[in-house]
Amino acid sequence: MANKTNKIVLDSGWVAARSTEVHLTGTQLTTTQPPSTTKPTAPWMPALVPGTVLGTLVANKVVPDPFYGMNNQAIIDIADSGREHYTFWFFTTFKSKLAANQHLELNFRGVNYHALVFVNGHLRVLPRGMFRRHCLDVTDILDPKGHNLLAVLVYPPDHPGRIPVNGGQGGDHEIGKDVATQYVEGWDWMAPIRDRNTGIWDEASISVTGPVKIIDPHLVSTFFDNYKRVYLHATTELENKSSWVAQCDLNIQVTSELEGNVCLVEHLQTQHLSIPAGKSVQFTFPQIFFYKPNLWWPNGMGKQSLYNVSITVDVKGYGESDSWNHLFGFRKIESHIDSATGGRLFKVNGQPIFIRGGNWILSDGLLRLSQQRYKTDIKFHADMNFNMIRCWGGGLAERPEFYHYCDIYGLLVWQEFWITGDVDGRGEPVSNPNGPLDHDLFMFCARDTVKLLRNHASLALWVGGNEQTPPPDINNALKNDLKLHPHFENSNGTGNPMHNSSDPSLCLDGTRIYIQGSMWDGFANGKGDFTDGPYEIQYPESFFKDDFYNYGFNPEVGSVGVPVAATIRATMPPEGWNFPLFRKLQSGYVEEVPNPIWEYHKYIPYSKPDKVQDQILKYGMPRDLDDFCLKAQLVNYIQYRALLEGWTSHMWTKFTGVLIWKTQNPWTGLRGQFYDHLHDQTAGFYGCRHAAEPIHVQLNLATYFVEVVNTTSEQLSADVAVEVSAWDIEGACLYYKNYEKVSVPGKKTVPIAEMTYHKSQHVKPVYFLLLKLYYKSDFRVISRNFYWLHRHGDDYKLLEAYRNKPAPLKITSDILVKGSSYEVLINLHNTAKNPHSKSLTYKNNFVTHVGEGDFDMASLEESANGVSEEHKQEGSLFKRIYKRFSGETDTESVTDGLRVSEINGDETGVAFFLHFSVHASKTDYKEGEDTRILPVHYSDNYFSLVPGERMDIKLKFKVPTGVSPRITLHGWNYLDSQRVY
């Protein structure tokens, strides 16, 4: 993130009150009659800043939690209350005493929708627009003693709109007349936000500079000689706030981190310039040359190497006046419409990248945004092996914190501006086709957003709107402002430095493409017709068929997403714990009828009458909520794994990419998600994680051919082989094949052979299929994939009888504790007798890939003090967890030793659909109470083990103060959860 070292964030000590309940002026509040910020009295209350009015009301329990049950219906909507009801005062104090020639600025990175600001009795106005920064120089009105009073009167959007009886996409669409988020009037996946996100919703801060200020530097890298020569270009605006000519030394420094806190200075450059009094100038540094720098790569293609670029300005007679720094990645992103598929094809550093990612709305519907939540959100996407996130046009222009973690974890970002078809030209009633009323305001916000985000390596493209293009004048302005610099029209990293072209850092951007809409120019059918979707349950094999989707890049395809039962209980009262009714129709299909709370939370069913039979009922009628949600997880896993495997089966021959609608919910919704609003993953998360591996072995569910997908640029050597085995539910191996002559070029999907067991006369009604891609030399597993399948025309109901037949398991856990942070390594061994004698890879000794999570596997140490020799050998299978947390010493960590537990099940069998959860240890548990500790990062979950197999699972989590965790294991054929720690 861009950072000012002289910035103080104002994120605490705020109070708020409804404007109609405050009978004082802004001048009085910030001079003679300020409210108390330590012991506020009515109508004042502690406030969330950054945050929204509704977020503050919820935090103070003035209104109920709108995300729980039907509570949102009990909160008055702004359409009924009037805008005054959600017009609020926010008040705080800050201390600052300036030295000579210093200036203090009050900064608001986002206010919705406009505001009056009072500082020590003086008024400043923040103009309209949710997506614009505000910077107020308040030097001349500061208190001489350093104690300053700040009051902000925030007004809601001008056109908050009304919610029609039947809801609808974006309500009555009135919100589209403002430059603001459009989801707030409700959507088919979201209930309305009652205050329309009114508030100081993004960072507020003060910053102190000397006479000269640095404004919005722009960093650009250009590449030559096949990416061996790289030039860094930098331009910045400098403002001289003084009344005299400033003689400046402008410095730029580029450093890279070697290890820990040790940095290497790569370049240091100083330039001298004079800035007239009261003027602003634009300065471009001479280009800085690098030879073979470490490049930034997307997730799955290589490391996310980042350099710290620091710019400082020293003023003669004053010293350092201002400073700025930003993490910057050397990379080049290109795209074009692929002639073979018609889809948009992306390249990073000259290498094609097959896009597998998801659509993103925002982290939280009440804009309770935080670095920690962003970190979890983005890491979850990286853990699913995704490489792109699309920021949908009805949500946010995402924040620098979001982009910072996308830079860190390698997620390319498709960023849309604030246009959506439903709110800008269609729907019921038909919405205003001309976008927001104030086109100049839209463009001001757009340009300011570009300046805020353009230096992030992860930002891949700008898009005008969702399923719509902006009005012609806005669209043309964006095309002109964001047109590619001539250097970035070049399709490779060869050539000579520019001689006749202007410096690319002089552009507003110029380094990444602008596309006018999400279904244009290589996306969907490329012409803006409604050719994205579908958005409901599918038969898994459908995703592999040639006629499932006809265009090269699908920007939105969605499906189901029910969370685990614990989330239902945590977010709904008991009347919401009833799973849907199953109603048989005359057609023979089943229709699901959800209870009113599920319906309000936008439940999408696991059946599509006349198209898809109910996929939960394939496992039998659910007994209760837990059983329904467990069976939903089985379907979630299959559904999303098949979706991505179907797309990669046609990689480059038919498709260039796919984005799933959607990865998460900004509230407690019941559709289209891989993790819920509480940060617990669904099984679909792990179906995606496996399907999107850079190198992956899979079964084509339409042809039953085993395929190997290689999205990397390296050919798989002759040392690789594929093992295929089928097992019955009792653990007997029914079918075994080993294919040792496997050759898979880079960027290819290759069919290996047909899996023929399903054609056998003796095929079991239900069976398991295990695929492994491995190295023949040492049997290390590159990719492992486990399927549960049924005979044609059958279902999975036979699995029901298997639930009381646990396979024997030996579970060894190793725990490392540092304060509130836990790292746990668990080894599971299915000790069932008679593993298949020919199986070469039953130990599951996996290849370690670069960038796998937060665990440094290269530095693991063995240590088994105080345990038996048998347990020492067990521990050596997976070694001991590396005893170092980032930036912390080994001596501060505490290891809790090896723990071994055993489940004495039947002598044979498959351990099916095992999954862990972490809870707070409690003895006074109440029904419906949520004891989970969230979030937890798992290396895998919802997995299965055939007889003889071993698996290492890594967990990482933090616990609240004073809480002891317990880790439990659940499984399909394990009726009771097993505590393993």
Side-chain angles (χ1 to χ4, degrees):
M1 287 175 292
N3 185 44
K4 290 263 191 177
T5 56
N6 52 4
K7 180 177 73 175
I8 298 173
V9 177
L10 304 177
D11 59 357
S12 61
W14 289 84
V15 293
R18 183 170 284 113
S19 63
T20 55
E21 298 176 3
V22 176
H23 305 296
L24 298 170
T25 66
T27 299
Q28 291 171 315
L29 290 172
T30 56
T31 53
T32 59
Q33 296 176 269
S36 172
T37 58
T38 55
K39 295 182 179 180
T41 57
W44 296 94
M45 67 192 83
L48 296 182
V49 175
T52 64
V53 168
L54 188 55
T56 288
L57 294 175
V58 171
N60 287 280
K61 296 183 170 32
V62 177
V63 299
D65 179 0
F67 292 178
Y68 184 84
M70 304 286 280
N71 282 352
N72 195 51
Q73 291 190 331
I75 302 173
I76 190 168
D77 191 82
I78 193 171
D80 301 313
S81 67
R83 294 174 66 250
E84 295 81 7
H85 187 76
Y86 289 110
T87 300
F88 264 63
W89 280 105
F90 292 85
F91 177 89
T92 192
T93 65
F94 62 92
K95 293 183 178 180
S96 181
K97 284 190 79 171
L98 301 181
N101 296 317
Q102 284 189 322
H103 296 261
L104 185 140
E105 292 181 330
L106 177 60
N107 309 297
F108 296 96
R109 210 169 63 183
V111 172
N112 192 25
Y113 187 58
H114 62 102
L116 302 179
V117 177
F118 292 85
V119 179
N120 300 330
H122 297 269
L123 171 64
R124 299 288 189 270
V125 176
L126 302 186
R128 287 166 168 76
M130 184 174 180
F131 301 110
R132 66 186 299 172
R133 294 170 294 170
H134 307 274
C135 181
L136 305 175
D137 190 328
V138 295
T139 305
D140 295 339
I141 57 177
L142 295 178
D143 178 58
K145 296 180 180 179
H147 183 71
N148 300 284
L149 307 180
L150 168 63
V152 185
L153 181 61
V154 181
Y155 295 90
D158 294 338
H159 301 88
R162 182 169 293 278
I163 313 304
V165 174
N166 295 326
Q169 310 292 76
D172 65 358
H173 318 303
E174 283 292 294
I175 194 69
K177 294 179 178 178
D178 297 327
V179 183
T181 50
Q182 300 183 359
Y183 76 92
V184 290
E185 283 199 63
W187 225 268
D188 58 6
W189 43 264
M190 183 74 186
I193 303 297
R194 299 306 188 187
D195 70 339
R196 308 296 191 261
N197 283 340
T198 301
I200 306 171
W201 69 275
D202 199 6
E203 180 186 271
S205 67
I206 56 173
S207 55
V208 178
T209 69
V212 175
K213 173 189 174 185
I214 298 170
I215 302 174
D216 291 332
H218 186 197
L219 308 177
V220 175
S221 53
T222 56
F223 300 85
F224 305 94
D225 297 340
N226 198 27
Y227 299 90
K228 294 177 183 176
R229 281 193 297 148
V230 178
Y231 293 89
L232 175 66
H233 307 259
T235 293
T236 187
E237 184 181 349
L238 300 162
E239 180 184 4
N240 182 4
K241 292 175 172 287
S242 72
S243 58
W244 35 272
V245 176
Q247 302 295 332
C248 303
D249 286 339
L250 188 60
N251 308 296
I252 185 168
Q253 178 176 291
V254 184
T255 58
S256 58
E257 185 174 319
L258 295 180
E259 184 176 352
N261 294 322
V262 179
C263 293
L264 172 67
V265 177
E266 301 272 356
H267 287 279
L268 176 61
Q269 186 184 107
T270 300
Q271 301 293 319
H272 305 281
L273 69 156
S274 298
I275 306 177
K279 298 293 184 181
S280 295
V281 299
Q282 190 177 57
F283 180 83
T284 300
F285 288 92
Q287 59 191 26
I288 302 173
F289 172 70
F290 294 79
Y291 184 67
K292 291 185 177 180
N294 296 320
L295 300 180
W296 184 93
W297 293 95
N299 188 33
M301 293 184 72
K303 292 185 177 181
Q304 290 74 55
S305 299
L306 293 167
Y307 292 77
N308 187 63
V309 179
S310 175
I311 297 175
T312 59
V313 58
D314 296 322
V315 177
K316 185 177 181 180
Y318 178 84
E320 184 176 298
S321 180
D322 198 7
S323 64
W324 176 92
N325 63 74
H326 200 291
L327 290 177
F328 183 74
F330 289 105
R331 62 96 184 96
K332 184 176 184 179
I333 296 176
E334 306 161 89
S335 75
H336 64 271
I337 297 176
D338 177 45
S339 59
T341 64
R344 184 156 289 274
L345 188 153
F346 287 86
K347 289 184 177 181
V348 178
N349 303 330
Q351 294 292 327
I353 175 172
F354 190 74
I355 297 296
R356 291 173 293 186
N359 285 267
W360 166 271
I361 312 303
L362 69 164
S363 183
D364 176 73
L366 300 189
L367 301 186
R368 294 167 294 193
L369 311 177
S370 69
Q371 285 202 42
Q372 188 57 48
R373 189 171 181 91
Y374 273 131
K375 180 179 181 181
T376 299
D377 284 327
I378 303 309
K379 188 178 187 311
F380 275 178
H381 285 74
D383 287 346
M384 286 187 282
N385 290 309
F386 284 171
N387 52 33
M388 180 176 277
I389 298 178
R390 173 193 172 210
C391 293
W392 175 74
L396 293 181
E398 266 300 352
R399 301 298 87 196
E401 291 81 5
F402 171 93
Y403 277 91
H404 169 75
Y405 289 111
C406 288
D407 291 346
I408 295 294
Y409 291 115
L411 275 299
L412 297 172
V413 183
W414 160 335
Q415 179 66 65
E416 287 180 5
F417 294 104
W418 318 285
I419 297 289
T420 61
D422 293 280
V423 182
D424 297 288
R426 65 169 194 263
E428 295 181 11
V430 175
S431 54
N432 171 30
N434 202 32
L437 296 181
D438 190 336
H439 289 197
D440 290 339
L441 172 60
F442 185 100
M443 285 306 305
F444 182 94
C445 290
R447 291 173 180 128
D448 198 55
T449 296
V450 172
K451 292 176 182 178
L452 178 68
L453 303 176
R454 62 190 177 186
N455 293 316
H456 286 279
S458 55
L459 178 56
L461 72 158
W462 303 103
V463 177
N466 165 62
E467 298 178 345
Q468 184 66 292
T469 62
D473 59 325
I474 292 179
N475 194 35
N476 289 335
L478 289 171
K479 284 181 179 179
N480 182 67
D481 286 359
L482 298 174
K483 64 183 177 184
L484 291 175
H485 182 275
H487 175 78
F488 293 92
E489 295 175 348
N490 184 14
S491 62
N492 55 50
T494 62
N496 296 311
M498 296 86 64
H499 295 294
N500 299 322
S501 299
S502 63
D503 191 291
S505 64
L506 287 167
C507 300
L508 178 64
D509 187 345
T511 68
R512 44 182 72 85
I513 62 166
Y514 167 76
I515 302 294
Q516 60 184 337
S518 66
M519 300 189 299
W520 278 258
D521 302 325
F523 300 125
N525 76 344
K527 302 174 183 178
D529 300 315
F530 286 100
T531 48
D532 49 6
Y535 300 93
E536 64 268 342
I537 191 75
Q538 304 290 330
Y539 288 122
E541 62 270 20
S542 297
F543 295 110
F544 293 84
K545 294 179 178 177
D546 289 336
D547 60 353
F548 180 72
Y549 188 72
N550 296 321
Y551 308 104
F553 193 120
N554 194 340
E556 293 185 14
V557 55
S559 192
V560 293
V562 165
V564 298
T567 293
I568 300 293
R569 293 192 176 96
T571 57
M572 297 179 185
E575 55 267 31
W577 300 355
N578 299 312
F579 61 85
L581 300 175
F582 296 94
R583 185 167 63 192
K584 190 91 176 265
L585 304 177
Q586 289 184 348
S587 63
Y589 286 84
V590 170
E591 178 184 43
E592 291 185 21
V593 183
N595 67 64
I597 299 179
W598 282 39
E599 190 170 20
Y600 189 76
H601 285 253
K602 313 296 184 177
Y603 173 73
I604 184 171
Y606 285 70
S607 64
K608 186 69 174 176
D610 300 323
K611 288 186 178 180
V612 180
Q613 293 282 5
D614 196 283
Q615 296 296 287
I616 285 179
L617 292 182
K618 289 175 74 72
Y619 298 89
M621 179 63 68
R623 298 189 300 269
D624 52 28
L625 177 66
D626 293 276
D627 193 38
F628 178 90
C629 290
L630 176 60
K631 288 172 178 173
Q633 300 317 310
L634 289 161
V635 181
N636 291 345
Y637 192 104
I638 290 176
Q639 184 78 178
Y640 287 109
R641 178 179 62 180
L643 190 160
L644 287 182
E645 289 183 341
W647 247 266
T648 52
S649 180
H650 298 283
M651 180 176 68
W652 307 128
T653 59
K654 183 181 177 185
F655 300 129
T656 59
V658 60
L659 300 176
I660 298 174
W661 181 268
K662 49 191 176 27
T663 56
Q664 45 73 248
N665 273 306
W667 78 309
T668 49
L670 297 179
R671 68 191 304 158
Q673 60 188 345
F674 299 127
Y675 59 91
D676 58 45
H677 190 256
L678 305 180
H679 273 155
D680 199 357
Q681 302 101 330
T682 72
F685 182 104
Y686 297 96
C688 283
R689 179 180 175 88
H690 282 279
E693 293 173 312
I695 301 174
H696 179 64
V697 61
Q698 65 184 37
L699 180 69
N700 185 313
L701 294 177
T703 66
Y704 270 63
F705 264 74
V706 175
E707 301 170 338
V708 175
V709 178
N710 182 7
T711 66
T712 75
S713 57
E714 302 296 325
Q715 177 169 334
L716 290 179
S717 69
D719 185 35
V720 299
V722 172
E723 182 182 83
V724 181
S725 57
W727 306 74
D728 68 14
I729 60 178
E730 303 295 340
C733 187
L734 308 168
Y735 173 91
Y736 184 87
K737 294 286 184 180
N738 196 51
Y739 301 96
E740 297 194 351
K741 295 182 179 180
V742 174
S743 177
V744 185
K747 311 291 183 183
K748 292 287 186 181
T749 297
V750 175
I752 303 302
E754 185 181 8
M755 194 284 292
T756 58
Y757 173 71
H758 69 294
K759 295 180 176 179
S760 168
Q761 291 183 348
H762 306 291
V763 62
K764 297 281 186 175
V766 177
Y767 61 97
F768 302 118
L769 181 70
L770 181 59
L771 307 178
K772 292 183 181 180
L773 176 69
Y774 69 97
Y775 287 115
K776 291 185 290 185
S777 57
D778 56 11
F779 309 125
R780 285 182 302 148
V781 177
I782 304 168
S783 174
R784 175 188 184 274
N785 208 345
F786 182 90
Y787 296 82
W788 49 102
L789 301 167
H790 61 73
R791 188 170 55 195
H792 181 70
D794 275 311
D795 52 37
Y796 295 114
K797 291 187 177 71
L798 284 179
L799 285 173
E800 190 67 27
Y802 186 58
R803 297 182 75 168
N804 60 359
K805 296 182 179 180
L809 285 175
K810 185 174 183 180
I811 307 165
T812 307
S813 58
D814 194 14
I815 294 93
L816 181 72
V817 183
K818 171 58 180 79
S820 62
S821 297
Y822 282 69
E823 290 189 5
V824 185
L825 188 61
I826 299 176
N827 178 267
L828 299 99
H829 181 195
N830 183 344
T831 57
K833 293 182 179 180
N834 301 320
H836 190 256
S837 59
K838 294 182 181 179
S839 178
L840 302 174
T841 59
Y842 64 91
K843 288 187 177 181
N844 279 1
N845 178 24
F846 283 91
V847 173
T848 300
H849 299 286
V850 173
E852 282 189 328
D854 290 336
F855 297 89
D856 187 351
M857 296 301 292
S859 303
L860 294 181
E861 297 178 359
E862 294 183 22
S863 174
N865 296 330
V867 296
S868 68
E869 192 63 30
E870 177 187 0
H871 290 166
K872 288 182 182 180
Q873 294 173 0
E874 187 78 28
S876 68
L877 290 171
F878 53 87
K879 302 184 179 180
R880 299 285 293 212
I881 279 189
Y882 182 40
K883 296 178 177 62
R884 179 179 66 83
F885 284 72
S886 178
E888 300 169 350
T889 62
D890 200 36
T891 57
E892 295 176 322
S893 301
V894 178
T895 182
D896 204 23
L898 290 174
R899 297 190 180 193
V900 179
S901 59
E902 296 192 32
I903 300 174
N904 297 315
D906 293 357
E907 292 186 353
T908 61
V910 174
F912 181 51
F913 215 53
L914 301 173
H915 50 284
F916 289 102
S917 59
V918 182
H919 299 260
S921 294
K922 297 193 69 165
T923 57
D924 55 343
Y925 173 77
K926 300 176 183 177
E927 185 182 10
E929 183 179 3
D930 190 8
T931 62
R932 288 172 298 170
I933 293 172
L934 298 170
V936 181
H937 296 277
Y938 300 92
S939 64
D940 202 359
N941 221 354
Y942 296 97
F943 58 94
S944 304
L945 297 174
V946 302
E949 274 198 303
R950 304 175 189 267
M951 183 82 76
D952 290 344
I953 304 295
K954 298 178 272 296
L955 293 75
K956 186 174 181 180
F957 56 90
K958 290 186 177 182
V959 300
T961 303
V963 171
S964 297
R966 60 181 172 88
I967 302 172
T968 58
L969 176 68
H970 317 260
W972 178 263
N973 49 327
Y974 299 86
L975 294 179
D976 298 319
S977 62
Q978 307 291 324
R979 181 168 181 172
V980 300
Y981 175 76

